[in-house]
Amino acid sequence: MFGVVQGVGFRPFIYRLAGKHRLHGFVLNNSQGVTIHWEGEARSIDQALAAMLNSPPPLAKITSYSCREIEPNKYSSFFIQESLVREGIEALIPPDVGICSDCMRELQDAADRRFSYPFTNCTNCGPRFTIIRDMPYDRRQTTMNQFDMCPSCQAEYDDPENRRFHAQPNACGRCGPRMELWDHMGNIVNEDPHRLLLAGNILAVKGLGGFHLACNAMDEEAVDRLRQLKKRDAKPFALMAADLETVRRCCRLSAAEEEQLISPVRPIVVLQQQDLSLPQAINPALDSLGIMLPYTPLHQLLLSPTLSLVVMTSANLSSNPLITANKEALEQLGEIADFFLVHNRGIVNPCDDSVGAVTGGSWQYTRRARGCVPLPVHLRGKEMTPLLACGPNFKNTFALTKGEKVFLSQHWGDLDNYLNYLKYEEAVPKMMSLLDIKPELVVHDLHPDYQTTAFAGKLCRDLSLPAHAVQHHHAHMASCMADNGLDEEVMAVICDGTGYGTDGAIWGFEFLYGDYGSYSRLGHLHYLPLPGGEASIKKVDRMAYAFLISTLNNGVKQQAEQVLPRLGTKERELLDIQVKRKINSPLTSSCGRLFDAAAALLGICSINKYEGQAPMEMEAKARHSTDKGQYYRLELAKNGDGTFTLNTAALWAEMLEDILAGKEPGTLALKFHWAVARAIIDGVLHMAAVTGLDKVVFSGGVFQNRLLTAMVKELMAETKIDEYLHRQVPPNDGGVSLGQALIGNEVQKRCV
Ligand SMILES: [Zn+2]
Ligand SMILES: [Zn+2]
């Protein structure tokens, strides 16, 4: 049996199946998975096999298996054989798993020996990846190695009939990790953390992959205080709800969303907010909430019917790395947290919460981390060259390949932040060793100044490896292809923020076609100037002004002044010169910037305090407009040679007219969304006519926009073209390393 079959209760499950079907023989873990030897009636073996394939243990994932008949050895019983010495590490490292219902029951049962024990776990749940130092995965290679099991725990661990048979992090209150509550000086306090939260305190809480900051989400004062203390951070806070009922009270919840909330990954699910009485500081100017259910017993113990909703936001400050150590938390959060809820089980692999949303009718990750990493993306029938794909510069994940699998790392964030870069640099060799992968090629982004490009160069020199540079949006395209198991020529629409183009411009609204080996650029948003370059991305008012004056005729200046009142005369004059003389004004076809500029014009947001703020606020406004069916013109201009550009002149002119007529911004935001959706479809139809292809992949961070994606799906339904969205990795830069890996692999194969 191949796949996730170790560390997930597979052998005891087989042991029990053998008992049920009166089979003899053995089961053992080998270097590639699990081997089963069954002897008995042919019919019984068939039945056992069917039962195994149809209802394996909840966390097992059988990716493939092979079966053959051999002469019986006449075993007199069924037994679990100790593991063979492993040469290659083929078995998959399991990801962390949200608490299971059995453990939850024990946690809440006053008669159980694990009543209220915050580190209760079993073979079906608990910490895995975040505590693993090295392979093979057993207790002495994890941060549980400092705890000796008590006789009761050991007996469970040794008993194949027990749910905790070989559960490596098995523990109880007598022998396992302990929780401590500290004040902000690090002194132990004897208080109930739950009661402290109810009293309005802010707690730093050590979870599975790092520290969170928590407070009562219904306590406006506490939420405001947390918002002020995290002042450089305007991002929406994630919430943790005691149960589904609480989630339903705050948000609309579909069956698909519920399924994600309760899945073993326990991601943060972005939901449509319903209860408007929640403190506004949770998600300023947005209409959605990111909610998760408790995924460890420790979290569960913080919640109660009187405290059913808490803020549970990453404790790291202004895009710094996750905080994982107790002392570090005390040093960095001393001014924010009133108390520290810590424990003595170490975190070796930091891991953010996974985040996603049901987008265009199906689940899409925006961050694939806790609960997913290090599970690979499987490429059926495609044998990969072992390689390292360094990933993008922002929202970084890197990828390693082995056989038919691509392993994406957890998120490292913005690598221009030196602390993040250090963590990244440390994680790459660690992951190579954990997965036992020795790369033969290093793939990186085409951008000459990215940290990842410098890192790739250094690694290639150190290990004498070849390097290959990949265009950012070709990587997006390849990522969505691999995500959907496509291996043929396809069309692609990439709606993204920033990517270095082959002509030196900043690309981002691209119409491509091709495969893993090569691509052509058939169309793009026409180039607009970005005065101040990437550094000015935050100041969206400036961008809107530059777009207007470079696209429309001179008369527009007065109107621009009117609709962008926050822009001072001096600033405007400077922009005039910069744009006219092309001083420090790189050209961009970015879709993200198009959204930024529109949001600024509509007066919705003038400064992006966090990435995507302006577009997210505009999406929220548009969603609540009832004025349907109207759209601006974002015109497709053909160049005669089959290529085209999208021209924004009519779009800006019509928007200005609406704004100056005093129309409601939500309506205009909706018209803008339809304009982009229609332009995407126009581009797809044009590409299909030119290339004769009938499949299109959609990738890029803009496809996190649920409103736009739903519109695109609606319009695509009227065409005869099949569309593909991301399913396993994010459409944003978090998924780019997957595409880099596929492209690198193809290049390597073609060279040989
Ligand atoms: Zn469990
Ligand atoms: Zn114990």
Side-chain angles (χ1 to χ4, degrees):
M1 316 301 304
F2 304 100
V4 186
V5 287
Q6 295 188 2
V8 291
F10 203 77
R11 287 177 302 163
F13 164 75
I14 297 299
Y15 180 92
R16 287 191 292 272
L17 263 186
K20 194 172 160 202
H21 295 278
R22 296 169 193 282
L23 301 172
H24 294 169
F26 62 87
V27 58
L28 69 95
N29 279 349
N30 62 37
S31 67
Q32 277 142 18
V34 167
T35 305
I36 304 162
H37 179 111
W38 269 332
E39 295 183 359
E41 295 284 327
R43 235 186 82 218
S44 305
I45 292 181
D46 287 345
Q47 282 171 349
L49 186 64
M52 173 177 73
L53 296 172
N54 292 335
S55 49
L59 302 177
K61 235 187 214 156
I62 301 170
T63 53
S64 62
Y65 70 98
S66 65
C67 239
R68 72 190 163 100
E69 241 174 82
I70 51 171
E71 280 300 310
N73 252 331
K74 303 219 165 59
Y75 288 109
S76 58
S77 64
F78 191 88
F79 58 95
I80 295 175
Q81 195 172 307
E82 274 313 303
S83 301
L84 296 176
V85 178
R86 296 204 265 170
E87 286 168 1
I89 303 160
E90 282 291 320
L92 302 181
I93 302 174
D96 302 277
V97 187
I99 181 172
C100 75
S101 51
D102 289 327
C103 285
M104 190 70 103
R105 203 175 320 111
E106 291 170 350
L107 185 72
Q108 291 164 338
D109 176 2
D112 193 277
R113 72 186 191 92
R114 286 192 176 82
F115 176 61
S116 284
Y117 180 56
F119 305 95
T120 300
N121 67 81
C122 72
T123 345
N124 299 326
C125 75
R128 301 284 191 275
F129 173 62
T130 49
I131 60 167
I132 296 177
R133 283 202 186 88
D134 206 353
M135 282 298 272
Y137 168 55
D138 63 33
R139 191 176 178 103
R140 71 201 150 81
Q141 306 269 36
T142 71
T143 54
M144 286 299 294
N145 66 342
Q146 54 168 318
F147 306 100
D148 288 328
M149 275 187 273
C150 68
S152 311
C153 284
Q154 188 68 49
E156 292 167 340
Y157 184 91
D158 293 334
D159 175 9
E161 298 278 10
N162 195 287
R163 200 174 91 242
R164 297 196 163 89
F165 175 69
H166 282 200
Q168 306 304 342
N170 189 27
C172 74
R174 259 178 74 196
C175 64
R178 279 170 197 282
M179 191 171 89
E180 267 177 13
L181 188 71
W182 297 353
D183 65 12
H184 70 283
M185 302 294 288
N187 303 312
I188 296 177
V189 204
N190 223 338
E191 298 250 22
D192 175 10
H194 169 260
R195 219 170 306 147
L196 289 174
L197 283 172
L198 269 179
N201 290 290
I202 295 171
L203 264 65
V205 179
K206 184 176 183 181
L208 262 186
F211 271 84
H212 284 111
L213 285 166
C215 71
N216 181 357
M218 307 305 284
D219 183 338
E220 191 146 9
E221 226 179 282
V223 178
D224 279 343
R225 193 157 67 89
L226 180 57
R227 179 60 73 193
Q228 273 164 25
L229 288 167
K230 270 195 112 185
K231 51 186 171 276
R232 283 182 296 173
D233 198 342
K235 284 182 208 163
F237 291 150
L239 301 176
M240 187 175 272
D243 45 35
L244 286 172
E245 210 176 299
T246 308
V247 179
R248 272 191 212 101
R249 248 193 346 257
C250 329
C251 294
R252 267 211 317 262
L253 186 64
S254 68
E257 290 162 338
E258 180 176 327
E259 190 188 314
Q260 291 297 329
L261 274 174
I262 59 172
S263 76
V265 175
R266 301 282 161 92
I268 296 172
V269 180
V270 179
L271 299 167
Q272 207 53 48
Q273 183 174 355
Q274 223 164 16
D275 177 1
L276 303 177
S277 68
L278 291 173
Q280 287 187 359
I282 292 176
N283 57 341
L286 298 180
D287 65 336
S288 52
L289 289 169
I291 306 193
M292 58 187 151
L293 292 177
Y295 53 89
T296 71
L298 186 148
H299 291 130
Q300 181 64 37
L301 293 171
L302 286 177
L303 296 158
S304 73
T306 46
L307 182 65
S308 60
L309 196 64
V310 293
V311 168
M312 192 62 76
T313 186
S314 272
N316 48 323
L317 300 173
S318 53
S319 66
N320 277 340
L322 283 175
I323 300 169
T324 52
N326 297 349
K327 210 175 136 236
E328 201 187 351
L330 207 56
E331 281 163 13
Q332 293 189 31
L333 304 173
E335 312 233 307
I336 299 182
D338 303 310
F339 295 93
F340 291 77
L341 187 59
V342 300
H343 58 73
N344 56 348
R345 189 179 66 200
I347 300 171
V348 272
N349 297 305
C351 207
D352 282 291
D353 294 317
S354 289
V355 188
V358 172
T359 310
S362 49
W363 176 252
Q364 196 176 253
Y365 281 107
T366 53
R367 186 166 65 202
R368 181 186 179 274
R370 174 186 48 78
C372 303
V373 176
L375 287 181
V377 172
H378 282 270
L379 309 161
R380 310 249 171 262
K382 199 169 178 71
E383 191 70 19
M384 300 282 288
T385 301
L387 60 80
L388 165 70
C390 295
N393 215 49
F394 309 106
K395 286 194 165 52
N396 177 278
T397 68
F398 61 84
L400 288 158
T401 60
K402 186 179 211 177
E404 297 184 351
K405 306 180 198 94
V406 183
F407 297 88
L408 270 71
S409 74
Q410 64 269 52
H411 271 242
W412 303 105
D414 172 0
L415 296 188
D416 280 344
N417 176 321
Y418 188 58
L419 297 173
N420 284 335
Y421 179 74
L422 290 179
K423 295 275 176 191
Y424 168 86
E425 206 182 35
E426 193 182 307
V428 172
K430 200 159 151 187
M431 197 78 140
M432 274 162 40
S433 140
L434 262 183
L435 299 168
D436 190 29
I437 294 176
K438 291 180 189 68
E440 291 168 14
L441 173 72
V442 179
V443 191
H444 62 87
D445 194 278
L446 191 61
H447 200 302
D449 301 332
Y450 275 180
Q451 304 297 340
T452 42
T453 305
F455 175 81
K458 189 173 172 292
L459 194 70
C460 287
R461 277 193 302 277
D462 291 351
L463 303 178
S464 302
L465 290 173
H468 181 72
V470 171
Q471 201 280 323
H472 186 81
H473 300 111
H474 185 207
H476 267 294
M477 168 181 163
S479 171
C480 196
M481 287 170 64
D483 204 340
N484 288 284
L486 297 170
D487 192 359
E488 60 195 272
E489 229 181 29
V490 298
M491 302 179 281
V493 181
I494 315 297
C495 292
D496 198 28
T498 296
Y500 187 78
T502 50
D503 56 0
I506 303 167
W507 293 8
F509 196 160
E510 310 302 317
F511 294 82
L512 315 175
Y513 78 96
D515 52 22
Y516 296 129
S518 65
Y519 73 99
S520 300
R521 188 189 193 201
L522 262 189
H524 59 88
L525 185 73
H526 73 146
Y527 284 141
L528 292 158
L530 203 55
E534 286 187 32
S536 77
I537 287 173
K538 283 193 169 179
K539 297 179 179 165
V540 289
D541 269 353
R542 294 166 45 111
M543 206 153 35
Y545 182 78
F547 287 6
L548 287 182
I549 60 166
S550 65
T551 315
L552 301 177
N553 57 29
N554 264 347
V556 79
K557 280 190 187 165
Q558 213 188 344
Q559 295 179 332
E561 196 181 321
Q562 244 178 299
V563 300
L564 297 165
R566 279 166 294 204
L567 214 52
T569 316
K570 276 246 164 64
E571 213 167 359
R572 276 202 315 273
E573 283 170 3
L574 188 70
L575 287 168
D576 285 340
I577 297 169
Q578 276 188 304
V579 170
K580 198 172 162 198
R581 299 202 194 141
K582 302 190 169 68
I583 304 166
N584 188 20
S585 292
L587 294 174
T588 185
S589 57
S590 163
C591 188
R593 301 296 85 79
L594 182 68
F595 272 83
D596 282 340
L601 282 185
L602 296 178
I604 291 170
C605 181
S606 65
I607 292 180
N608 264 332
K609 288 195 189 123
Y610 58 91
E611 201 217 337
Q613 180 179 1
M616 279 163 74
E617 291 183 4
M618 182 163 62
E619 180 191 351
K621 277 255 173 5
R623 206 183 336 264
H624 297 286
S625 168
T626 48
D627 208 350
K628 300 232 154 41
Q630 295 181 51
Y631 58 93
Y632 295 120
R633 280 179 301 146
L634 181 51
E635 289 170 326
L636 188 150
K638 297 180 188 174
N639 297 334
D641 59 352
T643 66
F644 64 91
T645 46
L646 295 177
N647 195 321
T648 58
L651 171 98
W652 302 131
E654 290 173 6
M655 270 182 98
L656 275 178
E657 200 181 309
D658 273 354
I659 297 165
L660 293 169
K663 291 193 184 161
E664 196 269 322
T667 307
L668 312 191
L670 187 67
K671 283 171 81 171
F672 172 80
H673 274 79
W674 276 116
V676 176
R678 283 182 177 273
I680 289 172
I681 305 304
D682 289 348
V684 170
L685 292 175
H686 179 89
M687 281 199 292
V690 172
T691 63
L693 298 169
D694 61 358
K695 290 191 170 92
V696 61
V697 296
F698 294 116
S699 188
V702 176
F703 286 106
Q704 292 168 101
N705 183 320
R706 285 171 290 142
L707 180 65
L708 178 78
T709 308
M711 287 171 170
V712 169
K713 289 254 313 187
E714 186 183 324
L715 295 174
M716 280 302 294
E718 294 162 18
T719 71
K720 289 202 174 86
I721 297 160
D722 295 331
E723 83 266 10
Y724 298 87
L725 293 166
H726 280 279
R727 302 177 307 135
Q728 308 170 71
V729 305
N732 60 44
D733 284 6
V736 156
S737 58
L738 172 63
Q740 289 181 343
L742 269 293
I743 294 168
N745 174 65
E746 198 65 32
V747 170
Q748 182 86 336
K749 296 247 153 91
R750 286 185 188 185
C751 287
V752 176

